[in-house]
Amino acid sequence: MSYYEPMEDDAETGMPRMKLTMMCRLDLNDSRSGGDGGNVPMWIYVKTVGTTAMASVQNMKRQIKLLSEEKGNTARAEKPCRN
C-alpha cells in the first residue's frame, strides 16, 4: 500500500517533489506449491526482518531514482499530482 503527498518544489532545482509512504508486509508463512506453508521460525524473522525490510526499501529507492533520471527534464513539462 502506498500514499503520495504533494510537497513544495525543490528549492535548488525547482523540480516538483512528492512524499511517498509505503507500507509493506512480510509473510512468514508464504505458501509453497502444494499448499505447504513456509513456517519461518519467529527467531529467524526477528533476526532478519530489519535487514530484509531495509534491503527492500533501498532497492525501491534506487529504482525510483533510476526511473526519475531516465525521465529527465520532461517532469517540468508535466503537471504534478495534487490533492
Side-chain angles (χ1 to χ4, degrees):
M1 181 173 14
S2 58
Y3 299 96
Y4 301 87
E5 298 175 48
M7 294 177 63
E8 296 295 322
D9 291 348
D10 187 280
E12 293 180 20
T13 65
M15 296 293 291
R17 301 184 310 163
M18 70 174 166
K19 178 180 178 183
L20 171 61
T21 303
M22 300 178 79
M23 297 176 67
C24 302
R25 175 178 177 248
L26 297 175
D27 191 348
L28 298 179
N29 291 309
D30 193 13
S31 292
R32 300 180 206 160
S33 63
D36 296 330
N39 301 317
V40 176
M42 186 54 72
W43 70 268
I44 292 176
Y45 171 78
V46 170
K47 295 269 187 192
T48 62
V49 68
T51 304
T52 303
M54 184 52 76
S56 178
V57 169
Q58 291 298 326
N59 286 335
M60 285 186 281
K61 183 178 177 181
R62 187 172 28 254
Q63 188 63 34
I64 289 170
K65 186 174 181 180
L66 284 172
L67 292 172
S68 176
E69 289 170 355
E70 286 177 8
K71 193 172 181 88
N73 290 330
T74 61
R76 289 183 183 270
E78 295 180 9
K79 293 181 180 179
C81 296
R82 302 285 182 195
N83 290 346

